[in-house]
């Protein structure tokens, strides 16, 4: 049995594998409080199950389609449910039929966000676009993110929604209908004190050529054009909010703005923002 408040909000439950071999999560049957029995996908489509299955391994969350022995798994539900499991080892055919993560649909794309600090990494946050999405919560597309670990050092990132009522909170996947004018809130948190936190976006290959992604830090006012810079670093002093904004363009004038240099120990970091993709040459003219 898994617990849910019944008000539509996500309630996280920790599951363990009941067998000594892996169980395909899509073979699990779900019984609700009315006694209706359905498969896992139907329970998701009816907003009874609100998230994919997450394993916690090596200090980070990983989406999973199987329950393997000796691991803990998080899943979010909206109401009390009973999970009926049989011993079902996933086959290659079953695995090939499962949705990739994140499931953006035909014509969609997602930017992976990786956050690291003091040897810890969070690789399970994605911001993107899907033709099937709206700007509100979309079942099966937007994925709530499990809570922060309670007993170990962590760095944690999520797409933050404060205006979704009972569904407000942290998300691993945030998909919108279109790119132009979108602003994603990114929350970064760690329990390791004043550590340098680095945010990277290792793969923008799926991003359409006319989309301009900019990361902004409201606390410092710094901006990073994500096509020409692959990371942004700051010193953690508690939960830190960033913004990722998207604009589409068909061209226009190239503008260099927000130029600044910041000493960091034995090096100097130079920051600037470009209004569009360009090849850059940097010259150091004097000590100032």
């Amino acid at each position: 049995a898994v617990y849910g408040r019944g008000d539509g909000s996500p309630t996280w439950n920790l599951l363990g594998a009941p067998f000594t071999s892996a169980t395909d999560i899509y073979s699990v049957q779900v019984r609700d409080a009315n006694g209706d029995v359905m498969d896992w996908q139907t329970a998701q489509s009816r907003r009874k199950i609100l998230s994919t299955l997450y394993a916690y391994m090596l200090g980070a969350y990983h989406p999973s389609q199987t329950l393997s022995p000796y691991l803990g798994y998080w899943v979010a539900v909206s109401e009390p449910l009973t999970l009926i499991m049989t011993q079902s080892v996933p086959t290659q055919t079953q695995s090939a039929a499962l949705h990739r993560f994140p499931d953006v649909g035909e014509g969609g794309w997602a930017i992976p966000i990786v956050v690291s600090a003091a040897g810890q990494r969070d690789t399970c946050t994605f911001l993107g676009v899907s033709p099937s999405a709206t700007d509100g919560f979309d079942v099966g597309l937007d994925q709530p993110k499990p809570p922060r670990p309670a007993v170990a050092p962590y760095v944690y990132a999520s797409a933050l929604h404060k205006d979704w009522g009972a569904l407000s909170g942290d998300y691993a996947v945030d998909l919108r209908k279109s790119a132009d004018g979108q602003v994603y809130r990114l929350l970064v948190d760690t329990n390791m004190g004043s550590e340098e936190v680095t945010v990277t976006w290792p793969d923008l290959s799926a991003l359409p050529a006319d989309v301009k992604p900019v990361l902004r830090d409201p606390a410092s006012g710094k901006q990073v054009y994500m096509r020409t810079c692959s990371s942004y670093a700051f010193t953690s002093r508690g939960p830190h909010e960033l913004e990722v904004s998207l604009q589409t363009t068909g061209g226009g004038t190239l503008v260099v703005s927000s130029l600044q240099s910041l000493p960091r120990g034995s090096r100097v970091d130079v920051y600037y923002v470009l209004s569009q993709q360009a090849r850059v040459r940097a010259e150091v003219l004097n000590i100032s």
Side-chain angles (χ1 to χ4, degrees):
V2 291
Y3 172 75
R5 286 185 288 270
D7 60 359
S9 63
T11 301
W12 289 98
N13 288 259
L14 187 61
L15 306 180
F19 307 111
T20 56
S21 58
T23 299
D24 179 5
I25 196 63
Y26 291 100
S27 71
V28 173
Q29 297 289 299
V30 179
R31 182 169 62 234
D32 64 17
N34 296 321
D36 294 333
V37 177
M38 65 206 77
D39 59 30
W40 185 273
Q41 295 97 317
T42 300
Q44 286 183 314
S45 68
R46 295 180 181 177
R47 294 196 181 187
K48 297 177 182 292
I49 295 175
L50 295 175
S51 78
T52 191
L53 196 68
Y54 292 95
Y56 184 75
M57 297 182 294
L58 302 176
Y61 290 111
H62 303 271
S64 178
Q65 290 86 32
T66 61
L67 282 165
S68 296
Y70 316 117
L71 288 176
Y73 295 87
W74 286 102
V75 65
V77 301
S78 62
E79 61 185 77
L81 300 170
T82 300
L83 306 183
I84 306 168
M85 301 185 188
T86 56
Q87 198 162 8
S88 173
V89 179
T91 65
Q92 289 185 344
T93 302
Q94 288 173 320
S95 298
L98 297 176
H99 291 307
R100 58 197 170 105
F101 189 87
D103 179 17
V104 296
E106 187 69 28
W109 50 265
I111 301 172
I113 302 294
V114 176
V115 179
S116 58
Q120 301 293 319
R121 297 176 78 235
D122 184 334
T123 63
C124 197
T125 307
F126 299 85
L127 312 175
V129 165
S130 172
S132 303
T134 67
D135 289 342
F137 174 77
D138 298 294
V139 63
L141 296 176
D142 297 311
Q143 293 286 341
K145 190 157 188 174
R148 295 157 181 76
V151 294
Y154 67 80
V155 62
Y156 181 93
S158 69
L160 180 63
H161 281 281
K162 299 179 179 179
D163 55 356
W164 280 3
L167 291 166
S168 295
D170 298 312
Y171 281 77
V173 181
D174 184 0
L175 299 179
R176 312 286 179 88
K177 179 69 174 177
S178 61
D180 194 34
Q182 295 291 354
V183 178
Y184 302 81
R185 290 181 182 173
L186 186 64
L187 177 67
V188 180
D189 194 11
T190 179
N191 64 349
M192 294 183 287
S194 298
E195 292 285 346
E196 183 174 83
V197 178
T198 302
V199 183
T200 62
W201 36 98
D203 184 8
L204 297 182
S205 60
L207 200 65
D210 65 339
V211 175
K212 297 164 41 181
V214 174
L215 182 142
R216 177 176 174 268
D217 186 342
S220 66
K222 297 175 186 174
Q223 295 189 105
V224 173
Y225 184 43
M226 298 169 69
R227 286 194 183 274
T228 56
C229 185
S230 61
S231 67
Y232 174 72
F234 62 91
T235 299
S236 170
R237 293 181 177 86
H240 198 91
E241 287 192 30
L242 303 171
E243 294 178 352
V244 174
S245 61
L246 303 179
Q247 298 290 338
T248 58
T249 177
T253 303
L254 174 63
V255 176
V256 183
S257 61
S258 301
L259 177 63
Q260 57 181 313
S261 59
L262 297 175
R264 292 184 180 275
S266 61
R267 74 176 197 265
V268 173
D269 291 346
V270 177
Y271 296 89
Y272 55 90
V273 175
L274 300 179
S275 62
Q276 58 183 270
Q277 187 170 346
R279 186 178 297 278
V280 175
R281 184 186 68 218
E283 296 181 71
V284 179
L285 302 178
N286 56 54
I287 197 171
S288 62

